[in-house]
Amino acid sequence: MNKAPLLEELLKYKSENNLILSMPGNKSGKGFLRDKLGRRLKDSLGELDITEVDPLDNLHNPEGVIKEAQELLAKTYKVKKAYFLVNGSSSGNLSAIFSAFNEGDEVLVERNCHKSIYNALILRKLKVIYIDAVVDNNLGIFLPPREEEINDALEKAKSPKGIILTNPNYFGVYYDLEKTIEKLRKEGLKVIIDSAHGAHFGFNDKLPKSMATLGDYVVVSAHKTLPSLTQGAFLLLNSVDDNIEFYLKAFMTTSPSYLIMASLDYSRYYLDNYSKDDYDNLIEMAEKYRQDINSLNKVYIVSNKDMEEKYKIDKSRYLMTVRDGYSGHKLLEYLRSKKIQAEMSFGKGVVLILSPSNTEVDFEKIYLAIKDLNIDLLKTEENIIEFSKSYPKKILEPYEVFNFKYKYISLDNSLDKISNEFIVPYPPGIPVVCPGEKITSEVIDIIRNYIDNKLSVIGLEDNRIKVLDI
Ligand SMILES: Cc1ncc(COP(=O)(O)O)c(C=O)c1O
């Protein structure tokens, strides 16, 4: 008999019975156990994989139950219109950017935005003004931009048509940009907010405010934090846009999964019915155990008081950090050995995505794992490098690099060459060079330093750089 390697590995992973503190937000189905409706969804997943038959409506031309579900969704998020996305927030970002802007438009974009946004900038042939990244060298993470960085980018722009922001970020850090965004919209800029990690924000007053009503377009990934299946997300619209539905059809499959759509409907229903009580319970437990775990003096879970004013941390996430000389990547491996699955690691820590489906037993498991931790196991020789804020000069727009041939050259020979790729050292995960930018001696020094310290640099191939052959 032949093997089914993926399926077999998946079943093996399931049998390990790990505590899932990564995506998806349904946490291996536990998120559907809240009530009878959710349990019926979970128990019938196999049978509910149905196509567009009567009377199940059609996502690409909704007139019945999908239309009704999307109208309820718009009400829940208090927005003008809302759409189910079955190809993740990526499809929402692509659709919003294509609909909001025309070829050649100038837009402000954060340097460390998600890949789907870069893909859209390239495909839509946009002119890019980067908003500088904000780095917290203490925590070894990047933060959402503040008014200062946005204003600096605005000054560099000639006639910007819009701005694309990410808030909160992957670490669960949020910055209050309400006033700034209102001002930008009044000035006529179209505002797109990638709030993929904030689908649950605003549904409990202990969570940061929702971004849902702030932008012209706001994208939230239901599957990251709500009881939705992977790929389920929402596009929320606050202005009139006659073209958006064309782009949604273009960037999503013509065979949308009813399983994903049903889980999206359940996520909205969950927010309406249970978010207040459930997030109260979750945050109460998370806060108690945060203090208990911190008092063990082995790792440190960050809270609002560690953040600069106007930055807030999502209390339904643990940003668990280690001291200098210790490794976040090793902490992730250790937690895995204790059957706790973290979402991700970075040089100085790990991110754990909690959920209202977590019980006291789960928190006790995290607490005991840290209590048992022999901290020497996390020691590392790796140096964490302070991130420099000076960026190279843009010679070409990211999309223009496709007009040229490329070649791979050694780092030492790359001075003054134009990069064909994003070069992204981790941590903190911000590109030191974007496609179309000229490689400077400072960039070479940073990359060399990361390589020498055996840290990860995405975008290199055998330590060689892909540059334009001109
Ligand atoms: C900030 C941000 N935006 C967008 C996305 C894309 O989301 P999806 O995986 O739902 O397409 C991600 C994915 O991790 C993300 O972190």
Side-chain angles (χ1 to χ4, degrees):
M1 193 72 108
N2 210 337
K3 274 180 63 170
L6 168 63
L7 176 58
E8 286 169 28
E9 197 60 34
L10 198 56
L11 291 168
K12 187 166 145 247
Y13 183 86
K14 178 185 173 282
S15 70
E16 287 173 13
N17 219 355
N18 294 299
L19 170 58
I20 303 294
L21 300 176
S22 61
M23 297 173 209
N26 73 67
K27 308 289 177 191
S28 305
K30 256 170 52 181
F32 299 125
L33 303 180
R34 182 62 175 85
D35 66 3
K36 203 165 150 206
L37 186 64
R39 284 196 297 277
R40 284 181 66 197
L41 167 60
K42 179 175 180 291
D43 291 345
S44 341
L45 281 176
E47 295 91 60
L48 294 182
D49 189 14
I50 292 169
T51 187
E52 288 96 345
V53 291
D54 242 6
L56 295 181
D57 208 1
N58 184 330
L59 180 66
H60 292 309
N61 186 26
E63 291 174 334
V65 285
I66 295 179
K67 180 169 183 269
E68 189 183 347
Q70 293 189 142
E71 283 168 1
L72 286 168
L73 179 65
K75 255 195 202 158
T76 297
Y77 280 97
K78 301 188 176 63
V79 296
K80 284 213 171 77
K81 268 204 115 161
Y83 296 93
F84 285 170
L85 299 171
V86 292
N87 292 76
S89 284
S90 301
S91 58
N93 283 336
L94 279 154
S95 304
I97 291 170
F98 264 77
S99 203
F101 305 119
N102 282 314
E103 243 175 64
D105 281 353
E106 185 181 52
V107 292
L108 310 183
V109 188
E110 283 175 66
R111 203 174 169 82
N112 50 318
C113 62
H114 186 254
K115 186 92 185 148
S116 58
I117 293 178
Y118 272 116
N119 291 342
L121 298 176
I122 289 170
L123 291 169
R124 195 53 165 154
K125 299 189 171 172
L126 298 177
K127 293 191 183 125
V128 179
I129 303 288
Y130 291 114
I131 304 169
D132 281 355
V134 184
V135 181
D136 184 329
N137 274 316
N138 221 356
L139 296 174
I141 63 171
F142 61 81
L143 303 170
R146 303 161 296 191
E147 293 91 346
E148 293 97 293
E149 286 76 27
I150 293 174
N151 288 337
D152 285 351
L154 267 175
E155 265 172 35
K156 285 183 217 151
K158 290 197 186 86
S159 89
K161 293 285 187 297
I163 180 164
I164 306 163
L165 294 163
T166 308
N167 203 12
N169 67 12
Y170 204 172
F171 301 97
V173 180
Y174 161 94
Y175 187 82
D176 186 356
L177 276 174
E178 195 171 337
K179 293 268 162 339
T180 311
I181 292 174
E182 268 170 22
K183 188 168 148 269
L184 293 171
R185 284 183 77 190
K186 267 197 199 123
E187 285 167 7
L189 266 76
K190 288 198 182 138
V191 177
I192 297 177
I193 305 173
D194 176 354
S195 196
H197 292 272
H200 56 305
F201 280 18
F203 289 96
N204 184 295
D205 54 16
K206 297 183 184 71
L207 291 167
K209 279 190 243 169
S210 172
M211 303 296 288
T213 55
L214 296 186
D216 294 282
Y217 308 79
V218 181
V219 179
V220 296
S221 270
H223 72 94
K224 296 195 196 304
T225 51
L226 302 179
S228 154
L229 295 183
T230 299
Q231 288 188 213
F234 302 133
L235 172 65
L236 310 172
L237 204 63
N238 293 302
S239 40
V240 179
D241 181 338
D242 293 336
N243 295 330
I244 190 72
E245 289 174 15
F246 169 81
Y247 290 110
L248 284 169
K249 286 176 203 173
F251 287 116
M252 289 202 289
T253 171
T254 54
S255 309
S257 157
Y258 272 84
L259 296 180
I260 296 176
M261 290 190 284
S263 73
L264 287 174
D265 201 20
Y266 186 73
S267 292
R268 189 273 315 152
Y269 158 96
Y270 176 85
L271 287 173
D272 281 350
N273 293 305
Y274 304 118
S275 54
K276 169 82 184 70
D277 289 349
D278 286 12
Y279 277 99
D280 271 349
N281 290 340
L282 169 67
I283 290 168
E284 195 181 313
M285 266 190 298
E287 284 295 283
K288 174 188 169 312
Y289 278 91
R290 181 179 63 76
Q291 288 169 18
D292 291 353
I293 293 168
N294 283 353
S295 67
L296 295 170
N297 243 334
K298 295 189 178 179
V299 296
Y300 183 76
I301 302 169
V302 177
S303 68
N304 282 337
K305 74 171 170 41
D306 303 301
M307 311 296 303
E308 219 182 88
E309 206 200 345
K310 280 183 123 180
Y311 280 113
K312 296 260 176 301
I313 184 129
D314 176 359
K315 290 182 177 165
S316 70
R317 225 165 250 226
Y318 275 169
L319 179 53
M320 188 183 269
T321 58
V322 291
R323 278 177 231 142
D324 288 348
Y326 295 82
S327 157
H329 306 301
K330 290 186 179 172
L331 177 58
L332 180 137
E333 280 167 29
Y334 169 75
L335 290 171
R336 183 81 160 81
S337 75
K338 292 284 184 182
K339 299 195 183 256
I340 297 172
Q341 179 66 65
E343 165 62 23
M344 64 132 161
S345 59
F346 56 102
K348 284 192 178 179
V350 298
V351 172
L352 307 180
I353 304 182
L354 309 170
S355 136
S357 64
N358 288 128
T359 59
E360 184 115 27
V361 175
D362 299 336
F363 281 98
E364 201 58 31
K365 186 167 177 170
I366 309 171
Y367 174 80
L368 289 176
I370 299 298
K371 191 162 177 243
D372 281 353
L373 167 66
N374 170 3
I375 195 82
D376 288 345
L377 281 179
L378 308 188
K379 275 206 172 125
T380 179
E381 298 294 305
E382 283 176 8
N383 282 325
I384 302 291
I385 295 156
E386 293 246 323
F387 199 77
S388 151
K389 248 192 95 170
S390 94
Y391 296 112
K393 192 165 182 277
K394 189 179 73 178
I395 307 296
L396 297 168
E397 296 301 335
Y399 75 86
E400 287 175 320
V401 302
F402 287 89
N403 299 333
F404 300 91
K405 288 208 164 89
Y406 60 80
K407 59 182 177 187
Y408 287 95
I409 55 170
S410 72
L411 191 57
D412 295 331
N413 292 329
S414 65
L415 183 67
D416 288 340
K417 298 277 188 291
I418 299 173
S419 181
N420 181 283
E421 265 295 351
F422 296 100
I423 312 282
V424 190
Y426 274 87
I430 298 161
V432 275
V433 189
C434 292
E437 288 182 334
K438 202 180 221 182
I439 297 166
T440 59
S441 57
E442 194 184 4
V443 165
I444 297 176
D445 287 347
I446 294 173
I447 299 174
R448 168 77 48 224
N449 212 340
Y450 270 73
I451 294 173
D452 290 348
N453 281 289
K454 299 195 173 44
L455 290 167
S456 140
V457 184
I458 293 179
L460 295 183
E461 196 144 321
D462 294 331
N463 291 345
R464 289 175 315 150
I465 296 195
K466 195 173 170 188
V467 296
L468 300 193
D469 192 7
I470 45 177

